[in-house]
Amino acid sequence: MAGTTNTSLRKGRKSTYGLLSPAILWLILFFVVPMATLLKIALSTKPDPWLPNYTFAWEWGNFSDAVSRFSSELYRSFGYAAVATVLCILIGYPLAYFLAFRAGKWRSLLLGLVMVPFFTSFLIRTIAWKTILGRNGPTIWFLEHAHLTGVTDFLRLTSNGSFLGTPQAVIGGLTYNFVAFMILPIYVSLEKIDINLLDAARDLYDVPAKAFRKIILPLSLPGVFAGTLLTFIPAAGDYINANLLGNANTTMIGSQIENLFLSESNYPAAAALSFIFMAIITAGVLVYARVLGTEELSA
Amino acid sequence: MSLNRHPHPRTGLPRDPELAAAVGMARDLSRRRFLQRGGIGLGAALLAPNLLTACSTPGSGDFTFSNWVSYIDEDDSGNPRGKGTTLYEFEKSTGIKINYLTDFNDNDAYFNKSFSPLLGRGKTIAADVVAPTYWMAARLRGLGWLDKIDLSNVPNHKNLEDIYLDLTWDPGAHYSMPWQAGIAGLAYNPKLTGRQLTSANDLFDPKFKGKVSMLTEMRDTVGLTMLGEGHDPNKAKPDDIHNALDKIDKAKRDNQIVHFTGNEYLQGLESQEFAVCVAWSGDVYSLDPSLGIKFVVPEEGGTQWFDTMVIPKGARRKADAEAWMNYVYNPDHATRITEWVGYIPPVKGVREALEKAGGDSAKLANNPLVFIDDETKKRLRVFGELTQKDEIDIQTRFNDITG
């Protein structure tokens, strides 16, 4: 008896691996190998910066050099991404809630409207903001004619009567570009909630606020978690918004990695910086998963 | 590709190809060269990314020239291979097929993607002629990665302007033949500055705080700052360069200088985001005159540069490359390119040819930014050569500042 279970298990395992092999091969080829190569370069030196030769030398100094040289960009990238993610939750959650519970017959239309901007390239949309918010654009024109630039300057929305070239503009751009990635997962998790649970709460004389806190919020947390990952990770690595909407004081880590590769040909430093960036994100995600108690990741 | 009409080729577009295409398109929508080229509407501009892929497909010709974008004449519909263009006429008169690419959009990026990984390992690159900026050509020469031009195949070499014959890194111009030259100076919008600008130090005038941009081309940005400080960038000592970098760094931190760009600064000038920019001469030539943007070579001086045709080591179609060099060094052929790009031709006889042609061409012959007068010429400086160590130190610091 025990013997048969054993063989069937073994058989099962074999076919499982068989089924997994394309995925495993894919991962090895396109994840493990590039990562190993990246790590090897991160630990190498480049004796002549103009020649394409690297010497593997366990050069851990590349990592500390990268951190000390680019600490402000690292803070900035994660800071901007964190603020943008929080803003995305603040904007996205109520919207997803409305879509899931209140939109009624308008639901598909409104959901479609959330998606529509994605039919245009991310870059075009960001460049469009540049025009809308630019010194010659309609917003500044309106503010100037309404003599409101003093007020917006005071509120820190503008600086020197200009929207662009500020951290606020970069964070605004990140929020705008990633908010849909927050709305959709939250919407999906809210939409799955069994309406009967809410009826039951009402039957038990619950107040709506408490029902929200005890039922809806916990059940939608996986959506918030997924949305946060989908927003925070690309936002931290993004540098298009910083380049187009920010100024020379808002550069993020992505453009520094690009500079190291293309302009300084310092591949070891670029690889080390990429690794540090990935390590911080991975650590952050694990901590976040534990705090939010999402089973799949914290288990 | 030809539709990306931002005339200055150097560091013109963001390096990311997708971003570059988008910025190029946005630029097309916002700005059109006013010289002889209407005809390109929104629809054509939106097609630009497709053309971009189409024209960078190798194998459409035999010998390959990798050049900067919008750096050669086009027909009225914006096609650089159209009837009557230099490329068309070259193929017709020599029977040599040319594969003209516009993938050279950044010296350092091309070096790190193509020259160094391939030529550095003794392999050959796809292009038979490339047009890097002078300092990059000098580096390639120093590394031994260029093939010597067989001057017997290039009789028109005699038309090369004399100044290019005594370069320290290439005496007699045996390894390089300049494509176009230009000046870096100040471009400004008098409506925003409220006065005429004459000094390189106007870039640091606190009145223009938040409205100043500089170029990501280190030699031009640092060169102009040094000239303002009274230092000659041609005899640049590392200390002087670092002092200039200190000044730029401080101005950036104070939000005096808000952007470091390739020629995206043109959009900033047009949208009045910028009042003063470190700028390239040919760019301003291409702007709509009704904007009132002015270009000035500061009284302390401006920097001069040139992009130069070189043959990478081991190029397979070297003789064809030489035939091409010979063709564009015929003054009549060079004139056609000058009329379109508005840069300084390195070929003798172009001015005379323009004068002879009359009309708009004759006007160009008197354009002081294309044919520099002696007074201005005295104020122009070429950035001095740097040792490898200094170059890397300085470029690294510059990158830290510009971000």
Side-chain angles (χ1 to χ4, degrees):
Chain A
M1 203 52 192
T4 39
T5 336
N6 214 356
T7 37
S8 79
L9 242 181
R10 204 172 287 155
K11 232 184 215 165
R13 205 170 283 166
K14 254 186 205 155
S15 64
T16 311
Y17 287 135
L19 285 170
L20 271 178
S21 61
I24 290 175
L25 204 69
W26 181 271
L27 268 181
I28 289 175
L29 264 180
F30 296 109
F31 183 75
V32 178
V33 172
M35 279 295 154
T37 317
L38 196 68
L39 185 63
K40 191 180 159 211
I41 294 176
L43 292 170
S44 300
T45 55
K46 198 177 182 192
D48 184 324
W50 290 341
L51 296 178
N53 309 319
Y54 304 92
T55 320
F56 183 74
W58 294 109
E59 191 64 49
W60 293 101
N62 287 337
F63 286 85
S64 47
D65 288 351
V67 172
S68 57
R69 185 172 162 199
F70 298 109
S71 55
S72 54
E73 280 84 2
L74 282 167
Y75 284 129
R76 214 178 273 149
S77 294
F78 289 115
Y80 290 177
V83 177
T85 307
V86 171
L87 287 173
C88 281
I89 296 177
L90 293 179
I91 296 166
Y93 200 101
L95 195 68
Y97 185 88
F98 179 83
L99 282 172
F101 296 121
R102 298 288 152 89
K105 62 173 176 171
W106 298 105
R107 188 196 278 184
S108 334
L109 178 73
L110 292 174
L111 209 55
L113 286 179
V114 172
M115 308 287 294
V116 157
F118 288 86
F119 296 160
T120 314
S121 152
F122 162 62
L123 290 160
I124 303 290
R125 281 181 282 128
T126 311
I127 292 170
W129 276 116
K130 220 178 149 158
T131 314
I132 295 167
L133 298 178
R135 243 180 244 278
N136 242 4
T139 351
I140 293 285
W141 180 89
F142 173 78
L143 289 177
E144 273 172 0
H145 280 75
H147 297 283
L148 286 172
T149 38
V151 181
T152 50
D153 267 5
F154 176 75
L155 292 173
R156 296 290 193 91
L157 281 171
T158 55
S159 96
N160 276 329
S162 167
F163 276 110
L164 297 175
T166 58
Q168 293 88 315
V170 179
I171 292 168
L174 290 171
T175 309
Y176 163 76
N177 275 310
F178 292 108
V179 74
F181 295 105
M182 184 64 81
I183 296 171
L184 295 175
I186 296 180
Y187 167 77
V188 169
S189 64
L190 287 173
E191 210 245 339
K192 276 194 307 203
I193 294 175
D194 188 348
I195 264 314
N196 291 326
L197 288 174
L198 296 178
D199 290 340
R202 210 172 304 130
D203 287 347
L204 295 168
Y205 303 103
D206 206 345
V207 287
K210 207 170 175 193
F212 176 78
R213 199 157 46 83
K214 294 266 184 191
I215 300 168
I216 297 178
L217 191 61
L219 286 174
S220 65
L221 275 185
V224 176
F225 180 77
T228 306
L229 294 190
L230 288 176
T231 309
F232 181 78
I233 297 175
D238 179 85
Y239 61 95
I240 309 277
N241 284 287
N243 277 3
L244 292 177
L245 304 175
N247 68 11
N249 285 319
T250 63
T251 46
M252 290 170 74
I253 207 72
S255 46
Q256 296 295 355
I257 294 174
E258 187 200 26
N259 268 343
L260 284 172
F261 266 105
L262 292 183
S263 170
E264 289 173 29
S265 62
N266 194 344
Y267 285 21
L273 190 57
S274 305
F275 251 98
I276 291 163
F277 184 70
M278 281 188 285
I280 296 175
I281 285 192
T282 313
V285 167
L286 289 177
V287 169
Y288 183 68
R290 184 132 296 195
V291 170
L292 222 65
T294 310
E295 296 149 37
E296 304 95 276
L297 273 152
S298 59
Chain B
M1 202 70 239
S2 54
L3 296 169
N4 285 338
R5 40 193 79 263
H6 35 97
H8 199 287
R10 303 193 310 161
T11 335
L13 288 168
R15 287 195 194 98
D16 181 87
E18 206 189 335
L19 180 56
V23 172
M25 281 167 66
R27 207 173 284 158
D28 284 338
L29 301 180
S30 63
R31 161 167 158 269
R32 205 165 294 159
R33 285 182 88 140
F34 65 99
L35 286 172
Q36 80 226 10
R37 41 208 106 127
I40 294 148
L42 187 68
L46 291 173
L47 284 173
N50 305 334
L51 293 176
L52 191 146
T53 15
C55 75
S56 51
T57 313
S60 53
D62 285 342
F63 119 83
T64 303
F65 179 19
S66 278
N67 200 1
W68 306 83
V69 83
S70 289
Y71 217 18
I72 198 162
D73 55 309
E74 298 168 355
D75 69 7
D76 288 345
S77 63
N79 179 3
R81 313 191 69 103
K83 215 169 177 178
T85 60
T86 301
L87 292 173
Y88 177 89
E89 294 294 331
F90 169 74
E91 289 192 343
K92 212 173 80 173
S93 68
T94 61
I96 299 168
K97 289 266 177 264
I98 177 165
N99 180 23
Y100 184 77
L101 304 180
T102 49
D103 59 349
F104 199 101
N105 62 355
D106 184 295
N107 282 300
D108 286 309
Y110 202 91
F111 181 84
N112 291 315
K113 283 196 283 199
S114 216
F115 291 142
S116 174
L118 292 170
L119 298 176
R121 291 197 174 95
K123 297 177 182 163
T124 57
I125 68 169
D128 302 287
V129 181
V130 280
T133 306
Y134 67 96
W135 54 268
M136 178 55 74
R139 182 195 293 180
L140 296 172
R141 169 84 186 97
L143 288 163
W145 293 352
L146 298 181
D147 270 342
K148 195 170 182 175
I149 300 165
D150 184 351
L151 293 188
S152 63
N153 288 336
V154 192
N156 286 333
H157 191 274
K158 65 175 193 297
N159 296 327
L160 178 63
E161 291 277 4
D162 297 336
I163 47 162
Y164 299 108
L165 287 169
D166 52 346
L167 303 169
T168 52
W169 54 274
D170 185 16
H174 289 285
Y175 287 88
S176 70
M177 288 183 77
W179 176 252
Q180 301 292 322
I183 307 168
L186 301 187
Y188 67 99
N189 185 341
K191 278 177 249 161
L192 294 177
T193 58
R195 64 180 174 91
Q196 304 285 316
L197 303 189
T198 52
S199 165
N201 292 321
D202 286 331
L203 290 162
F204 299 92
D205 184 334
K207 275 199 225 87
F208 311 140
K209 184 177 167 181
K211 295 180 181 175
V212 180
S213 85
M214 287 183 160
L215 295 169
T216 45
E217 181 70 40
M218 184 274 285
R219 284 165 178 78
D220 292 331
T221 291
V222 173
L224 274 178
T225 309
M226 288 176 73
L227 285 161
E229 299 269 275
H231 294 298
D232 182 350
N234 188 246
K235 303 180 183 72
K237 287 194 283 290
D239 282 351
D240 298 338
I241 297 174
H242 280 290
N243 283 339
L245 286 170
D246 287 340
K247 191 172 176 182
I248 296 167
D249 192 17
K250 184 173 179 301
K252 182 203 96 166
R253 286 175 198 281
D254 295 346
N255 272 319
Q256 168 78 14
I257 300 160
V258 285
H259 270 289
F260 294 88
T261 68
N263 56 12
E264 303 99 289
Y265 71 87
L266 288 170
Q267 293 169 297
L269 278 173
E270 283 175 328
S271 66
Q272 304 193 12
E273 211 73 34
F274 302 149
V276 195
C277 303
V278 178
W280 289 306
S281 54
D283 277 354
V284 180
Y285 162 85
S286 75
L287 281 175
D288 182 343
S290 71
L291 290 167
I293 306 293
K294 294 202 166 165
F295 181 88
V296 60
V297 177
E299 59 196 11
E300 300 92 347
T303 53
Q304 192 174 11
W305 51 264
F306 59 94
D307 297 324
T308 187
M309 291 184 283
V310 295
I311 302 177
K313 195 156 195 64
R316 276 160 290 221
R317 316 284 301 195
K318 185 162 176 283
D320 292 347
E322 286 156 353
W324 165 255
M325 289 176 171
N326 191 51
Y327 184 85
V328 294
Y329 264 72
N330 175 320
D332 291 334
H333 303 158
T335 302
R336 199 178 323 153
I337 300 171
T338 301
E339 278 190 290
W340 202 89
V341 300
Y343 279 104
I344 304 165
V347 183
K348 285 180 192 164
V350 170
R351 188 172 199 171
E352 291 72 14
L354 284 168
E355 277 166 351
K356 215 164 65 190
D360 280 348
S361 306
K363 256 187 242 159
L364 191 60
N366 294 315
N367 185 324
L369 296 179
V370 179
F371 297 97
I372 311 165
D373 55 83
D374 292 342
E375 190 51 46
T376 312
K377 222 173 237 171
K378 273 186 216 144
R379 286 183 282 147
L380 296 181
R381 294 287 178 276
V382 176
F383 205 94
E385 282 181 55
L386 300 168
T387 63
Q388 188 190 48
K389 189 188 167 297
D390 287 340
E391 161 132 32
I392 284 161
D393 282 353
I394 290 160
Q395 190 67 49
T396 303
R397 233 196 117 198
F398 186 71
N399 288 349
D400 280 348
I401 295 169
T402 59

